C-alpha cells in the first residue's frame, strides 16, 4: 500500500462546510491506497512502476501504426481521392486496430509473447549446444 493525497480535501486536511478535520483522512491530508498510486508529490510512482507499457500494449500500438501507414499509403497511391481522405481512413483504421488488440484480441498478443519467449529460449539453448559441440570437437 502507498500513500496518496486525499481527494476529499485535496491534501489540506481541512473539512468542508463548518470546518474541522477532513472526515476522509482525519486531517492528515493523505490516505492509504491499494495498488500503484498516481505519480505525485506524496505517493510517487510506487514500487515496480517505471512508466513503461506492457508488451501487449506496445505490440497493439505498433500494429495500429502499421495499419495506419498501410491504409494511408495504398489510399494515396491507389485511389483518386484527395490526400486527406486516405489519411482520415488510415487514422480510423489504426485506432480500430489498437482498440481491437488492447481489448477483445489481447489474448493473441499474449500468445505471441509466450511463443516469442519460448522460441528465444530454445534458440539460446541451441546456440549453447553449438558452442559446446564446436569446442568438444577441437
Amino acid at each position: 500500500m502507498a500513500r496518496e493525497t486525499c481527494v476529499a480535501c485535496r491534501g489540506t486536511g481541512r473539512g468542508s462546510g463548518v470546518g474541522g478535520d477532513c472526515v476522509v483522512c482525519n486531517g492528515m491530508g493523505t490516505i492509504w491506497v491499494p495498488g500503484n498510486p498516481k505519480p505525485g508529490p506524496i505517493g510517487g510512482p510506487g514500487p515496480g512502476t517505471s512508466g513503461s507499457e506492457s508488451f501487449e500494449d506496445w505490440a497493439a500500438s505498433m500494429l495500429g501504426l502499421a495499419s495506419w501507414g498501410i491504409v494511408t499509403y495504398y489510399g494515396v497511391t491507389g485511389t483518386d481521392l484527395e490526400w486527406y481522405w486516405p489519411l482520415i481512413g488510415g487514422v480510423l483504421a489504426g485506432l480500430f486496430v489498437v482498440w481491437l488488440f488492447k481489448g477483445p484480441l489481447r489474448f493473441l498478443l499474449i500468445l505471441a509473447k509466450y511463443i516469442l519467449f519460448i522460441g528465444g529460449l530454445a534458440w539460446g539453448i541451441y546456440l549453447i549446444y553449438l558452442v559446446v559441440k564446436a569446442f568438444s570437437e577441437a
Side-chain angles (χ1 to χ4, degrees):
M1 297 191 77
R3 293 192 73 78
E4 190 174 276
T5 304
C6 177
V7 294
C9 65
R10 295 187 183 99
T12 63
R14 294 186 310 246
S16 61
V18 293
D21 291 339
C22 174
V23 295
V24 176
C25 65
N26 289 330
M28 295 293 293
T30 59
I31 56 174
W32 288 103
V33 293
N36 297 329
K38 298 181 289 189
I42 295 174
T49 56
S50 62
S52 63
E53 291 185 296
S54 66
F55 170 79
E56 293 86 9
D57 292 336
W58 175 82
S61 298
M62 291 300 109
L63 287 172
L65 184 65
S67 65
W68 167 74
I70 290 169
V71 168
T72 302
Y73 174 76
Y74 286 114
V76 168
T77 59
T79 64
D80 293 330
L81 297 173
E82 293 292 328
W83 64 270
Y84 50 86
W85 289 115
L87 183 69
I88 292 170
V91 167
L92 292 177
L95 289 174
F96 182 69
V97 167
V98 168
W99 174 79
L100 274 179
F101 283 103
K102 281 191 176 184
L105 297 180
R106 188 177 182 94
F107 73 93
L108 292 174
L109 296 178
I110 293 171
L111 183 65
K113 175 176 69 172
Y114 287 121
I115 289 172
L116 285 173
F117 176 74
I118 292 170
L121 193 62
W123 184 67
I125 291 171
Y126 180 68
L127 285 179
I128 292 172
Y129 166 74
L130 288 179
V131 168
V132 169
K133 183 179 172 185
F135 279 117
S136 65
E137 292 175 356

